[in-house]
Amino acid sequence: MAKNSKLAPTPGDHIGSEFHADHLSGDEPLLPARVHRPSDLLRLLLGIVGIALVLLLATFAHGTTQGLQNDIGEGAGLAPRLLINFAGLASSIAVLVVPVAFAVERLIKRDGLRIADGVLAAVLAHGVSLATDLWVTESAPESIRNALTQPLSNGALTAPVHSYLAPVIAYMTAVGMSRRPRWRVAMWGVLLLDAFAVLVGRYTTPFAIVITVLIGWTVAFGTLYAVGSPNVRPTGQHLLAGLRRVGFTPVSAVRAEDLAHPEHPEHSDRGRRYVVTLEDGPPIDVTVVDREQQAQGFYYRLWRRLSLRGINQRRSLQSLRQTLEQEALLAYAAIAAGANAPKLIATSELGPDAVMLVYEHIGGQSLDALADKEVTDELMHSAWRQVAALQSRRIAHRRLVGDALLVDRSGTVVLTDLRGGEIAAGDLVLRMDVAQLLATFGLRVGAERAVAAAVEVLGPDAVADSLPLLQPIALSRTTRATLRRLARERAKREREAVLEASRAAKELRAEAVAAGSLDGATAEEQPSRKALRARKNAEKRAIDEAMEEAREEDLLAQIRRQVLLVRPTAPVEPARLERLSPRILVSWIAGAIAVYLLLSQLAHVPLNKVVSEAHWGWVVAAAMFSALTYIAAAQSLLGFVPEKVSFVRTVQAQIAGNFVKLVAPAAVGGVALNTRFLQRAGIRPGLAVASVGASQLFGLGSHILLLLTFGYLTGTESTADISPSRTVIAGLLTAAVLVLVVTAVPALRKFVVTRLRSLFAGVIPRMLDILQRPRKLVTGIGGMLLLTLANVMCLDASIRAFGAGGEISYAAIAVAFLAGNALGSAAPTPGGVGAVEGALITALTFAGLEAETAFPAVLLFRLMVFWLPVLPGWVAFTFLQRRGAI
């Protein structure tokens, strides 16, 4: 805006506390000076992928590339020589003139930063071109060299990459010629003319032209992303000029800067908003959207688009005109549907990099700015009526959070931020709006009032239909963050309640002991073992009761319960929305790497010879030891469950665990299945989790103890004295250093103590209960030792099946199994695929077993304990599901 026109607040308008009124002068500061656009990074990655694809095509489709070259050569031979010479001369001149002309035009308009970026990109592209030329001529495969070069009349080869054309392409891309229509035509004309000249003149190949263009394009976007693009956000003068161009006479303005959630990218692209005072008439609201703001949140939107199924997310990359047209369409559609929404009265471009939308001014506050007591039932009814009006015309808002609901002076709700909405929306998206608004109001007034208001306006059926969508992944990012914060607070309160109950029980026991000793009771008068056990049981019940009393229902569960009270037959099974999660993505990547490693190892193994030379008696023995592991696993679990649970069903659950491990990491799938099985067996959820946790904790302790013991024995096998191996000593020293580091760093110490305290709060009482039943404890520990022994014997039988019995000791085999099992539990791949095999082969080879024997032995072992039990595991899993046991 003009420097003599200060932008002051508009009198009489109340701006909510979530806005920060900032007086703007005519030349608004442009900070930061440069921005890193995600779209530049995406184009850089696409360029790299394109180069890789062209090189792969040149490598594996040599006949096709050679035929294409011959066809172009034959066609070029028919072209008149005069035409070829003219095209070469014109292209040589145009390649120099067009970039220089654009640079002069930009310098006249004081846009020298773009030219500097273009020059830097050109220099880098020239360097990459020279490096590529050197690689192709010296080290590249012959197929790539033949695709990118061809012999000249003097016997030399043409250049694989045109070291003059790639810098020109990089320069023209970096300076932004493609965003200006006239210069874009000139740029493409130059490129096509030059490509025609060098192809017809047989100075290059088609693949060399493609590689040259891709290198220039990729280097340009890499340069722009690395150094940042100049910030071209429109100044106040541009805003004033744009308003005058559409017929307004602005006097002053206030910028309303949203400070509520600046860290959340899902709504950081909403644009800069202004309240503008006019010379005559009421004020207006102006929203300015530029390319930098539009690019914010790009990665979040892209991930949501890839990871969610059945939901049409808006395009991750939209042009400014598409953004303007979408918001204008939704504004008109919302008003036509009868909903309260800001009325759009004008739109305009503010140069090539920004657009402006002008609305009628609506004074008021957002829902987030209101106190909880101000969120009345009438206000919620007004909001639900607006949603009902939108849904009657199949319009989805897609972001019904607190800062998108504006409450005017009369208490009426106005729907804002319609840019992310959807016209002709499907049922799934419409139900997501209902679920989102239920969560938004539930966070402010509680589940009961939120559901009652929704049912009052929409009716019970519409609210009930939204229950399958009432899950965190279907809600906005701000809502999910709030729910996670509340969950952490609930968990903290539950831990504190359990710790307080445990502390009170210990104090009562100490007081009882002290009172008995002070009264001078004799040994005969001391409490009997039965009385002590009853006292401990009472303490345990007190801790369990405190845990149950402290347990709180999360908001989404409260909303479901309230809806079920109104409509008991409402569907509650969550809809499957997630197509891709970080865990699944990591598992796929790790699984692909594991399969690649295994296949690369299998390529060097003569499988026919391995199968023919295997001793089938030991193969049968390995299968029997593998079957024994399921009985041992059932014993190790039931030993930590004081309640009576069917042993046969528990064995079936352990067999079903093999099927679960196929689709989940080993440490995750087994724990989840066992917990579910115990709950279905009639054990309360808290006690089921504690039993599985106690089993895992004892298993971890025994695993570490056995690993150290066998490692120690491995080190004493080749020496006369009893001295541990250097590996064991190094492991102990490493563990000691880690303990010291954790103890010395306050942040790490607090993190570890908090996690251990939360673990012991639930597991330790269960372990104390087990200690009072020696038979159960012996069963659990015996099952763990039997499980380890059975697996070690299965691995030993697999080694003996290939004639290597006695080459390494049982201690070395035990160390190999324990190390491989530990690595497999930590690996993110299903069942530890790849990680377990690699660790076992490495450990056995290091222990002295030949690699030619270690590899098939490990494959046989994994076949017995992982792959073959998958089919029985699926049968057991299906059977237990049908019986309601899991």
Side-chain angles (χ1 to χ4, degrees), residues 158-283:
T158 59
V161 179
H162 294 271
S163 56
Y164 72 91
L165 184 58
V168 171
I169 295 172
Y171 168 84
M172 292 192 295
T173 304
V175 297
M177 289 180 66
S178 61
R179 291 197 295 268
R180 290 166 174 80
R182 295 180 180 178
W183 289 104
R184 180 170 60 241
V185 173
M187 180 183 73
W188 282 108
V190 168
L191 294 180
L192 293 175
L193 184 61
D194 187 81
F196 174 78
V198 294
L199 283 174
V200 171
R202 308 200 69 174
Y203 296 111
T204 190
T205 66
F207 284 94
I209 289 291
V210 175
I211 287 290
T212 300
V213 173
L214 287 175
I215 286 177
W217 195 67
T218 304
V219 171
F221 287 113
T223 304
L224 290 177
Y225 187 76
V227 303
S229 302
N231 197 331
V232 293
R233 293 171 58 183
T235 64
Q237 293 180 352
H238 292 135
L239 177 59
L240 274 181
L243 288 173
R244 293 192 183 101
R245 189 162 52 246
V246 292
F248 295 101
T249 54
V251 175
S252 61
V254 172
R255 177 176 173 184
E257 185 175 353
D258 192 347
L259 298 178
H261 305 284
E263 74 279 5
H264 292 301
E266 67 174 357
H267 56 81
S268 58
D269 61 344
R270 295 171 58 194
R272 290 172 290 148
R273 291 176 290 170
Y274 300 87
V275 179
V276 180
T277 303
L278 305 177
E279 290 183 0
D280 52 353

Side-chain angles (χ1 to χ4, degrees), residues 701-716:
S702 65
H703 197 100
I704 295 174
L705 182 61
L706 289 173
L707 185 59
L708 293 177
T709 302
F710 285 116
Y712 186 95
L713 294 176
T714 303
T716 63

Side-chain angles (χ1 to χ4, degrees), residues 92-102 183:
S92 301
I93 297 174
V95 163
L96 296 176
V97 170
V98 172
V100 172
F102 184 80
W183 289 104

Side-chain angles (χ1 to χ4, degrees), residues 143-399:
S143 58
I144 293 179
R145 189 180 303 114
N146 293 335
L148 298 181
T149 61
Q150 64 179 3
L152 295 171
S153 57
N154 57 4
L157 294 178
T158 59
V161 179
H162 294 271
S163 56
Y164 72 91
L165 184 58
V168 171
I169 295 172
Y171 168 84
M172 292 192 295
T173 304
V175 297
M177 289 180 66
S178 61
R179 291 197 295 268
R180 290 166 174 80
R182 295 180 180 178
W183 289 104
R184 180 170 60 241
V185 173
M187 180 183 73
W188 282 108
V190 168
L191 294 180
L192 293 175
L193 184 61
D194 187 81
F196 174 78
V198 294
L199 283 174
V200 171
R202 308 200 69 174
Y203 296 111
T204 190
T205 66
F207 284 94
I209 289 291
V210 175
I211 287 290
T212 300
V213 173
L214 287 175
I215 286 177
W217 195 67
T218 304
V219 171
F221 287 113
T223 304
L224 290 177
Y225 187 76
V227 303
S229 302
N231 197 331
V232 293
R233 293 171 58 183
T235 64
Q237 293 180 352
H238 292 135
L239 177 59
L240 274 181
L243 288 173
R244 293 192 183 101
R245 189 162 52 246
V246 292
F248 295 101
T249 54
V251 175
S252 61
V254 172
R255 177 176 173 184
E257 185 175 353
D258 192 347
L259 298 178
H261 305 284
E263 74 279 5
H264 292 301
E266 67 174 357
H267 56 81
S268 58
D269 61 344
R270 295 171 58 194
R272 290 172 290 148
R273 291 176 290 170
Y274 300 87
V275 179
V276 180
T277 303
L278 305 177
E279 290 183 0
D280 52 353
I284 56 176
D285 292 332
V286 181
T287 300
V288 177
V289 182
D290 54 55
R291 293 186 185 276
E292 283 69 33
Q293 288 174 318
Q294 188 190 26
Q296 294 179 12
F298 164 77
Y299 297 116
Y300 173 77
R301 296 193 299 271
L302 180 61
W303 173 251
R304 294 278 288 183
R305 189 177 182 88
L306 293 175
S307 62
L308 297 183
R309 69 172 85 232
I311 300 176
N312 295 322
Q313 293 279 326
R314 70 181 176 92
R315 292 176 55 186
S316 301
L317 282 176
Q318 284 185 313
S319 67
L320 286 172
R321 177 163 291 278
Q322 288 173 330
T323 300
L324 184 148
E325 292 173 349
Q326 180 179 5
E327 184 163 353
L329 175 62
L330 283 162
Y332 290 135
I335 294 176
N340 295 331
K343 184 179 180 181
L344 183 67
I345 55 179
T347 59
S348 177
E349 291 186 350
L350 297 179
D353 298 303
V355 294
M356 171 185 68
L357 299 103
V358 183
Y359 294 94
E360 287 185 353
H361 177 65
I362 301 176
Q365 292 179 291
S366 73
L367 182 68
D368 285 344
L370 298 179
D372 289 344
K373 62 181 180 181
E374 297 181 88
V375 184
T376 63
D377 291 343
E378 290 75 13
L379 187 149
M380 290 189 289
H381 291 160
S382 176
W384 283 113
R385 282 193 291 270
Q386 313 315 313
V387 174
L390 290 183
Q391 300 211 344
S392 67
R393 301 295 178 87
R394 314 291 297 180
I395 301 173
H397 187 283
R398 302 298 297 271
R399 194 177 167 274

Side-chain angles (χ1 to χ4, degrees), residues 81 121 152 189 206 259 302 361 382 480 626 676-677 867 878:
R81 176 55 55 182
L152 295 171
L259 298 178
L302 180 61
H361 177 65
S382 176
R480 295 201 305 272
S626 175
R676 177 75 171 175
F677 169 72
W867 293 108
T878 305

Side-chain angles (χ1 to χ4, degrees), residues 53-69 143-144 146-147 207:
L53 290 177
V54 171
L55 293 179
L56 286 175
L57 182 62
T59 302
F60 297 105
H62 177 68
T64 302
T65 59
Q66 191 64 41
L68 182 62
Q69 277 187 222
S143 58
I144 293 179
N146 293 335
F207 284 94

Side-chain angles (χ1 to χ4, degrees), residues 1-3 5-7 22-29 235-237:
M1 299 179 188
K3 291 187 178 181
S5 173
K6 291 291 184 180
L7 302 180
D22 188 14
H23 293 256
L24 301 180
S25 61
D27 291 322
E28 184 179 354
T235 64
Q237 293 180 352

Side-chain angles (χ1 to χ4, degrees), residues 528-646:
S528 63
R529 180 177 298 180
K530 185 176 181 180
L532 290 175
R533 181 177 298 174
R535 183 182 298 171
K536 290 181 179 179
N537 286 336
E539 295 173 1
K540 175 179 172 295
R541 283 195 300 271
I543 293 175
D544 291 340
E545 290 174 0
M547 185 181 299
E548 291 296 327
E549 291 176 0
R551 183 170 288 111
E552 303 175 25
E553 218 175 13
D554 71 294
L555 175 67
L556 301 186
Q558 294 176 29
I559 294 175
R560 292 190 194 98
R561 180 163 49 81
Q562 292 296 326
V563 175
L564 290 175
L565 291 177
V566 179
R567 184 67 73 208
T569 59
V572 294
E573 188 69 22
R576 295 191 61 183
L577 300 177
E578 195 171 31
R579 178 192 296 119
L580 186 65
S581 66
R583 181 184 61 82
I584 295 175
L585 185 62
V586 171
S587 298
W588 283 358
I589 295 174
I593 295 174
V595 170
Y596 171 78
L597 294 176
L598 286 177
L599 291 178
S600 63
Q601 292 173 340
L602 282 173
H604 304 287
V605 177
L607 294 179
N608 295 333
K609 182 179 178 181
V610 168
V611 173
S612 62
E613 294 180 357
H615 300 283
W616 290 99
W618 285 110
V619 174
V620 174
M624 294 176 62
F625 285 122
S626 175
L628 182 61
T629 60
Y630 302 106
I631 299 176
Q635 289 182 350
S636 66
L637 176 62
L638 293 180
F640 296 91
V641 183
E643 295 81 4
K644 186 176 181 180
V645 180
S646 171

